[in-house]
Amino acid sequence: MSKTYVETPYNFDEIKEYIICDKKKAADEILVADICFIYDTCAIWSHAKISDITPLVTYIKGRNGVVIITRTVLMEMCSDDSKIWTQHIDFIKKLSDAGIKVLVFNEEDSLECLKRVYAGSVGYFNNLLKYALRIARKWKGTVDEVIANSGSDMIRKLCGNGNYSKSELFSTFFKMARANKKPQDNLAEELFIICAAILSNTPSINEYKYIVISEDRGLIRKLVEMTDNLKKHTGARRCSMLTTPGLCQVLIKEGLINTPDELQNILNCAYQDKKIKVCCSEEYDLKPKEKDYTKEELGDKLLNDSNFTVYY
């Protein structure tokens, strides 16, 4: 029997005290934060196993950051009984107890953020959504499938050049997409990239305000395509991505990881495989390339090779 998904997990009350889910409060936090760390489900799985997340929370707090868990990611954080896994609850609690604001964010509430900044018309806001959707359809992934199966009238509303809808389309699209969630699809990932693209229309002092935390290397192509288009449209990319090795390199540069034991505390928990694939460059490399390292080899490179750079 195929897994079914619910928007509100049956044990949602177990995380309510540790999160912000009110859309107005969430919008406030996003707009005042310097960096928003958007967690993918796979990264939550990995980071929930880390015994000491002190370097991570110190970095997020030092950057005036918040953690965003989108509604679709929350749906994926549940077991077959539609309850959030215990280790995921514990991870959210650790972040909250450390003073990190964790937002459970309905993707359609990106409209709330736009409305706080711009006095635009319904058509203006819908066009920002439609711009992101047109790019997302080029990926030929889950979002494209959802839209393609929505009927000719809905396709025209979501992707047409004219203003065919008198009401906002954010709720219509994102709720429709979540209702079509299937096991092993890419819906959560594609939706939070779309969400980040929409939010990138709001002003920010940082070149990169929305940082996706993910182990899904397949996201890179989609994120690069979206950010390149954003650069042309808004003048700034705003979005980037860190895998756990990339995040570890940042933490080392910030002086938050200093020893092999501190680094292996993260790598050993995040990766069960003997080999870790990273896209990186070393001294004299003309361009980055994918390489496989053991956890020990990667740890040595990160700590001791100043010419070693992780891209993802």
Side-chain angles (χ1 to χ4, degrees), residues 257-268:
I257 292 178
N258 298 288
T259 69
D261 286 344
E262 291 173 337
L263 181 54
Q264 291 304 323
N265 167 56
I266 296 177
L267 295 179
N268 285 334

Side-chain angles (χ1 to χ4, degrees), residues 18-265:
Y18 309 122
I19 63 168
I20 296 171
C21 58
D22 178 82
K23 72 176 183 179
K24 292 184 178 180
K25 292 180 180 177
D28 288 340
E29 295 297 341
I30 288 171
L31 292 173
V32 301
D34 287 339
I35 300 183
C36 297
F37 296 92
I38 304 173
Y39 257 88
D40 192 4
T41 313
C42 55
I44 292 175
W45 268 105
S46 298
H47 293 186
K49 300 172 187 175
I50 300 171
S51 58
D52 182 6
I53 62 170
T54 301
L56 174 62
V57 298
T58 303
Y59 176 67
I60 295 174
K61 290 172 72 173
R63 290 303 180 95
N64 187 32
V66 297
V67 167
I68 296 178
I69 298 173
T70 61
R71 179 63 62 175
T72 315
V73 167
L74 183 68
M75 292 164 67
E76 291 186 344
M77 289 167 57
C78 297
S79 57
D80 290 340
D81 63 0
S82 298
K83 293 182 178 181
I84 307 170
W85 289 93
T86 301
Q87 55 266 49
H88 294 165
I89 295 173
D90 292 342
F91 179 61
I92 291 171
K93 183 179 184 301
K94 282 182 181 180
L95 291 174
S96 176
D97 288 348
I100 303 297
K101 292 176 180 176
V102 181
L103 318 180
V104 171
F105 189 68
N106 293 336
E107 292 91 344
E108 60 268 25
D109 291 341
S110 52
L111 176 59
E112 181 72 22
C113 296
L114 294 176
K115 286 181 175 179
R116 297 295 184 88
V117 178
Y118 302 111
S121 65
V122 169
Y124 171 77
F125 293 130
N126 282 345
N127 282 336
L128 295 179
L129 170 64
K130 289 161 71 174
Y131 179 81
L133 292 181
R134 290 191 194 106
I135 298 169
R137 292 205 71 185
K138 296 177 183 178
W139 304 332
K140 299 301 180 185
T142 308
V143 164
D144 179 56
E145 181 182 345
V146 168
I147 294 175
N149 293 330
S150 66
S152 58
D153 184 57
M154 185 58 66
I155 293 173
R156 186 178 66 158
K157 287 180 179 179
L158 293 173
C159 302
N161 290 324
N163 292 321
Y164 298 106
S165 177
K166 294 181 180 180
S167 58
E168 60 91 0
L169 292 169
F170 288 71
S171 299
T172 302
F173 167 70
F174 286 114
K175 289 179 180 179
M176 176 181 70
R178 293 196 297 266
N180 285 277
K181 173 83 179 114
K182 298 175 183 176
Q184 308 304 317
D185 65 15
N186 295 312
L187 184 64
E189 294 87 347
E190 292 186 4
L191 290 188
F192 64 57
I193 293 178
I194 292 170
C195 224
I198 292 167
L199 292 171
S200 293
N201 289 283
T202 61
S204 173
I205 60 172
N206 292 323
E207 171 72 8
Y208 295 102
K209 175 165 180 172
Y210 303 98
I211 308 297
V212 173
I213 308 292
S214 179
E215 309 300 344
D216 186 352
R217 297 158 57 79
L219 279 180
I220 293 295
R221 176 184 63 84
K222 298 174 183 178
L223 191 61
V224 168
E225 188 171 342
M226 184 66 82
T227 55
D228 284 349
N229 277 277
L230 285 172
K231 179 69 174 177
K232 297 174 186 175
H233 187 64
T234 67
R237 286 190 170 85
R238 297 277 187 258
C239 309
S240 191
M241 174 174 155
L242 287 173
T243 58
T244 296
L247 178 60
C248 285
Q249 185 158 64
V250 170
L251 297 177
I252 290 168
K253 288 180 179 179
E254 294 287 322
L256 300 173
I257 292 178
N258 298 288
T259 69
D261 286 344
E262 291 173 337
L263 181 54
Q264 291 304 323
N265 167 56

